[in-house]
Amino acid sequence: MPRHTVAKIDLDALRHNYRLARERAGDAIAMAVIKADGYGHGIRAVARALAAETDCFAVACLEEALAIRDEGLPHTVVLLEGVHAAEDVASCQRLGLEPVLHSHHQTAWLTQASARPRSWIKVNSGMNRLGFAPAELTEVMARLADADCPVRGFMTHFAAADEADNPATEAQTRCFQQAVAPWPEAELSVGNSAAHFRVGQPLFDWSRPGVMLYGASPLPEQMGTELGLKPVMTLESELIAVRTLNPGDAVGYGQTWIAERPTPMGIVAIGYGDGYPRHAGTGTPVWVKGRRASLIGRVSMDMLAVDLSAAPAARPGDRVELWGERIPVDEVARWAGTIGYELLTGVTARVPRLYHQSGRNA
């Protein structure tokens, strides 16, 4: 039978988090961002679960949009990176997708196409990653109007919305408002997950909640549960061996951890081959036998070791939560020197996703 390493996905928690995003968005409409395979949760299942909650999904690329359409969902789908080839324009028109235009070569593909889907214009308000400079917008809009290309609205992306005291977000908001002022009928979108929690931050017509939908915090100083979010993914495995280490015994590659006293140790059937971060160090928490335990030594490809001193009754076959309901993914991310986004999207395909809602299999 297969290993008992699984990612349990709580679809009710997903819907709860979307409703919280919608509430915090105020008068703005929340388009659900489900790119990167639904942040590692499975884009098809996520789209189905949110289909009755939202009228609009946002993804990064055409392949992700195709997965939504393959599920038979008619929702508006926004391509946040736009099209990557001229022939993609026809696919957008055929499938009813709305690409975001951020570069002149994309506008050229659109204006030269025989069928032209409705699009969004990305404004570079200060992140300096993608988007047209404010001074370019008049020319871009004129070119699109001349080719009879419908434009739905404008969007930008914040560089530091997760930093409450950073003035960059206020500056980007002013820049964006000034840049799009000549087109008062256009719809506007600025709000990533972090922006939903900024006091007084205008979100205009459309917000774009992403990681918050999956229960991870977009704010570095707070856990998702502190923001009212529920964890959607619980990453679990089991103990496959238990032994007692003697003083002086070393554990794992590089022998980086050495027992100073008799120590009960368990081996868990999960590693970086499953997406658990290799750089999670000694002390990173797990949950076993109703107690918090901690990693010791280096994470291997398929296994990791835990100190069972806090759970001495643990035995092979006992379940181990790596993150989820009891161990926040944000906490594990801090121990690993990264963010919850990376951990959730990094869970590999060999880990089965098991979906449930209200205690039933989905």
Side-chain angles (χ1 to χ4, degrees):
M1 61 186 298
R3 290 192 314 161
H4 294 280
T5 301
V6 298
K8 296 180 178 179
I9 310 298
D10 184 343
L11 299 176
D12 280 338
L14 175 73
R15 286 185 279 264
H16 165 85
N17 295 338
Y18 175 79
R19 291 165 188 162
L20 180 62
R22 189 171 59 196
E23 177 184 329
R24 296 198 67 90
D27 293 334
I29 305 171
M31 64 173 75
V33 181
I34 62 173
K35 62 182 180 176
D37 197 29
Y39 284 63
H41 294 67
I43 189 171
R44 294 172 182 269
V46 167
R48 291 195 304 269
L50 293 178
E53 304 287 338
T54 184
D55 295 321
C56 181
F57 294 115
V59 297
C61 56
L62 183 60
E63 294 86 346
E64 294 170 340
L66 290 173
I68 297 171
R69 289 293 182 256
D70 286 346
E71 291 300 309
L73 299 176
H75 297 58
T76 298
V77 180
V78 177
L79 302 185
L80 295 174
E81 287 186 5
V83 291
H84 292 268
E87 54 266 29
D88 292 346
V89 175
S91 297
C92 289
Q93 177 67 15
R94 175 172 54 85
L95 296 170
L97 312 178
E98 298 184 357
V100 177
L101 307 179
H102 58 74
S103 299
H104 291 290
H105 65 273
Q106 291 179 322
T107 60
W109 291 338
L110 193 67
T111 58
Q112 294 165 12
S114 57
R116 304 175 181 92
R118 184 168 61 173
S119 62
W120 292 77
I121 305 299
K122 185 69 168 286
V123 180
N124 178 15
S125 62
M127 188 164 185
N128 293 310
R129 192 173 62 177
L130 295 176
F132 296 101
E136 298 179 284
L137 292 182
T138 298
E139 177 188 351
V140 169
M141 292 296 285
R143 187 182 311 137
L144 293 172
D146 288 344
D148 198 25
C149 298
V151 173
R152 181 166 192 169
F154 299 93
M155 66 173 59
T156 195
H157 196 69
F158 292 140
D162 58 338
E163 300 175 13
D165 297 328
N166 193 323
T169 304
E170 184 178 348
Q172 283 192 260
T173 302
R174 287 197 306 270
C175 174
F176 180 72
Q177 288 179 292
Q178 293 168 2
V180 303
W183 301 277
E185 302 303 316
E187 298 175 41
L188 307 179
S189 175
V190 300
N192 56 6
S193 288
H196 288 72
F197 297 96
R198 288 183 65 89
V199 176
Q201 173 62 46
L203 297 181
F204 301 103
D205 301 299
W206 291 89
S207 73
R208 304 192 304 273
V211 77
M212 68 178 294
L213 300 183
Y214 310 96
S217 174
L219 305 180
E221 303 303 321
Q222 292 179 272
M223 300 290 178
T225 52
E226 296 176 295
L227 300 175
L229 302 170
K230 294 183 178 181
V232 177
M233 177 190 292
T234 296
L235 184 65
E236 286 188 0
S237 188
E238 68 176 9
L239 293 174
I240 59 172
V242 174
R243 59 173 295 184
T244 299
L245 300 171
N246 296 314
D249 285 347
V251 174
Y253 288 116
Q255 299 184 317
T256 60
W257 187 89
I258 300 174
E260 297 178 353
R261 53 178 172 73
T263 304
M265 178 198 70
I267 298 297
V268 187
I270 193 169
Y272 61 79
D274 304 288
Y276 192 85
R278 183 179 181 274
H279 40 290
T282 293
T284 304
V286 301
W287 184 267
V288 57
K289 207 70 176 177
R291 301 288 182 86
R292 275 184 169 237
S294 59
L295 267 65
I296 52 177
R298 290 180 180 169
V299 175
S300 300
M301 181 179 287
D302 310 305
M303 292 174 281
L304 54 81
V306 296
D307 181 346
L308 293 175
S309 296
R315 296 291 181 266
D318 286 341
R319 301 300 293 166
V320 179
E321 178 185 305
L322 287 307
W323 65 66
E325 294 182 11
R326 300 171 183 87
I327 304 295
V329 68
D330 302 309
E331 184 176 359
V332 179
R334 289 179 186 177
W335 278 93
T338 185
I339 54 177
Y341 302 67
E342 182 179 11
L343 299 191
L344 294 175
T345 60
V347 177
T348 63
R350 81 170 179 177
V351 178
R353 273 65 166 173
L354 303 181
Y355 299 95
H356 63 94
Q357 50 191 356
S358 302
R360 302 186 303 274
N361 289 332

